[in-house]
Amino acid sequence: MYSRVNYTLIGVFVILFSLGILYFAFWLGGKGSHDDNKIYMLRMKESISGLSKDSGVKLKGVNIGTVKEIRVNPKNIEEVEILLSIDKDIPIKEDMKGVIKMFGLTGLSYIEIEGGSNGAKSIESKDGEIPLIKSGDSLFVDAETRLKHISDKLADILDRGDKLLSDENIKNLSSVLKNTDKITAKGVDIEDKVASLMVEVNTTIKEFRVSFNKLAKGYDELALNLKRDMPPLTKSIKQTSDNIDRLSIEIEKTVKRGDYNFKKILQPSINDIEALSEELSRLTRELRQSPSDILFKSRGSRRGPGE
């Protein structure tokens, strides 16, 4: 009888203990769901392969929640709705985005919350709906977009290359090259002519320099001749002028005395005038016979009349 009572007590204790554990588990689960976490919605149009219920949700590599549910949007079959259960103490900002990332090469995925700033507003529920987190492109979608862009660019380059290397363009290019060869040949001929012309110009310049030097030398000789010949001639003219002055004075005195023997009075001046006239006549004849002698012929000093 005692054994039966003991078994009964043990059975009751086990049942009560099991019920207590179940109650504690339900209480803990309910408290975690309603008190510690907050539900957010994430809508994505890309494939979510590798992502499953209870997959992790991370912010800067720190676990902040889990994936609670995955379903197709009944209002838009192009979208997948992902319900995220995130710690309510973690503020989710309006400038944050949810991105699917992969654990290395395992094929398992998780949700990474990117972005966010302290100055941004926190996401709040509107009209009782679940708060919506913006979605961003995953690494694979970004790589696919970039590869598509590169592929389009490459196709465009190849298409332009085909157009550039068309038969008509190749023919035109050949024509341009032929014309370039002709222009180059003409350029060489022109270069030779220019070189020859430059030689002639240099020769002309040298001849001009020689002629100019001769002219300068002749000018110097003319200056020397004039410098040498002019003083005697000037002196002779001055003496003639003085003689004329004396003649005038003598004539005036003679007139006053009543003596009119002009031949005697004028004879000295007439002699000077004849000598000067002879000198001028000789110079005129020389200029007519050889004008260059005045520049290049050396002369001895000539005496003036009366010297």
Side-chain angles (χ1 to χ4, degrees):
M1 181 175 178
Y2 288 105
S3 298
R4 188 178 297 176
V5 172
N6 291 334
Y7 286 126
T8 301
L9 292 175
I10 292 172
V12 172
F13 176 77
V14 170
I15 292 172
L16 292 176
F17 182 75
S18 299
L19 290 175
I21 291 177
L22 289 174
Y23 176 77
F24 178 76
F26 279 110
W27 175 82
L28 185 61
K31 184 175 180 60
S33 299
H34 296 90
D35 297 337
D36 295 337
N37 291 349
K38 186 174 181 180
I39 304 300
Y40 292 90
M41 174 75 73
L42 179 64
R43 292 192 176 103
M44 309 195 78
K45 291 186 177 182
E46 63 180 276
S47 173
I48 60 170
S49 298
L51 189 70
S52 62
K53 185 179 179 180
D54 296 329
S55 294
V57 178
K58 296 185 178 184
L59 175 62
K60 299 185 183 299
V62 179
N63 288 318
I64 60 172
T66 59
V67 175
K68 183 177 182 180
E69 184 180 351
I70 299 175
R71 66 191 182 194
V72 176
N73 186 356
K75 297 180 181 180
N76 185 0
I77 60 173
E78 294 181 357
E79 289 182 341
V80 175
E81 293 182 341
I82 305 172
L83 296 180
L84 306 178
S85 177
I86 298 176
D87 188 344
K88 67 177 182 179
D89 294 330
I90 303 298
I92 304 300
K93 303 290 186 175
E94 292 181 350
D95 55 353
M96 287 182 171
K97 293 182 179 181
V99 179
I100 295 178
K101 290 192 175 182
M102 184 178 293
F103 287 106
L105 300 176
T106 61
L108 300 177
S109 300
Y110 65 95
I111 300 296
E112 177 75 24
I113 305 298
E114 295 182 344
S117 60
N118 292 326
K121 295 181 179 179
S122 298
I123 297 176
E124 300 294 341
S125 175
K126 295 180 180 179
D127 300 329
E129 295 182 354
I130 299 174
L132 181 65
I133 300 175
K134 297 178 182 178
S135 63
D137 293 334
S138 65
L139 178 62
F140 296 103
V141 173
D142 185 61
E144 182 181 359
T145 302
R146 291 178 181 273
L147 287 175
K148 186 176 183 303
H149 180 70
I150 293 173
S151 177
D152 293 341
K153 287 288 185 182
L154 184 60
D156 184 58
I157 291 172
L158 292 175
D159 183 58
R160 292 185 180 184
D162 291 337
K163 292 180 180 179
L164 181 63
L165 297 177
S166 64
D167 295 338
E168 183 179 358
N169 288 339
I170 292 175
K171 184 178 179 180
N172 293 333
L173 181 60
S174 299
S175 177
V176 170
L177 292 176
K178 290 180 181 178
N179 292 332
T180 302
D181 292 338
K182 292 179 180 179
I183 293 173
T184 303
K186 290 183 179 180
V188 173
D189 184 49
I190 292 173
E191 183 179 0
D192 294 338
K193 291 182 179 180
V194 170
S196 177
L197 179 62
M198 291 300 297
V199 172
E200 293 179 0
V201 170
N202 290 332
T203 303
T204 304
I205 291 174
K206 290 179 180 179
E207 293 176 354
F208 175 77
R209 286 178 178 175
V210 173
S211 300
F212 182 79
N213 291 333
K214 289 182 179 179
L215 180 61
K217 185 177 180 181
Y219 175 79
D220 293 338
E221 291 180 357
L222 175 61
L224 291 174
N225 291 335
L226 290 176
K227 184 177 181 181
R228 183 178 61 248
D229 294 341
M230 284 302 293
L233 183 60
T234 303
K235 185 176 181 181
S236 177
I237 293 173
K238 185 176 183 302
Q239 289 178 352
T240 302
S241 176
D242 293 340
N243 291 333
I244 292 173
D245 290 338
R246 287 198 305 270
L247 178 61
S248 298
I249 294 171
E250 290 294 334
I251 292 173
E252 184 179 358
K253 289 180 180 180
T254 302
V255 171
K256 288 181 179 180
R257 289 196 307 266
D259 187 3
Y260 300 102
N261 189 1
F262 290 102
K263 182 177 181 181
K264 182 179 179 180
I265 296 171
L266 297 176
Q267 189 62 43
S269 298
I270 291 172
N271 293 334
D272 292 339
I273 292 171
E274 288 178 352
L276 178 61
S277 176
E278 183 180 354
E279 179 68 19
L280 292 175
S281 297
R282 183 189 61 77
L283 182 60
T284 302
R285 286 195 304 272
E286 290 180 357
L287 288 174
R288 288 178 179 177
Q289 293 174 359
S290 180
S292 61
D293 289 347
I294 192 77
L295 296 176
F296 305 109
K297 185 176 180 181
S298 298
R299 297 184 179 88
S301 300
R302 297 184 180 275
R303 297 181 179 276
E307 292 186 353

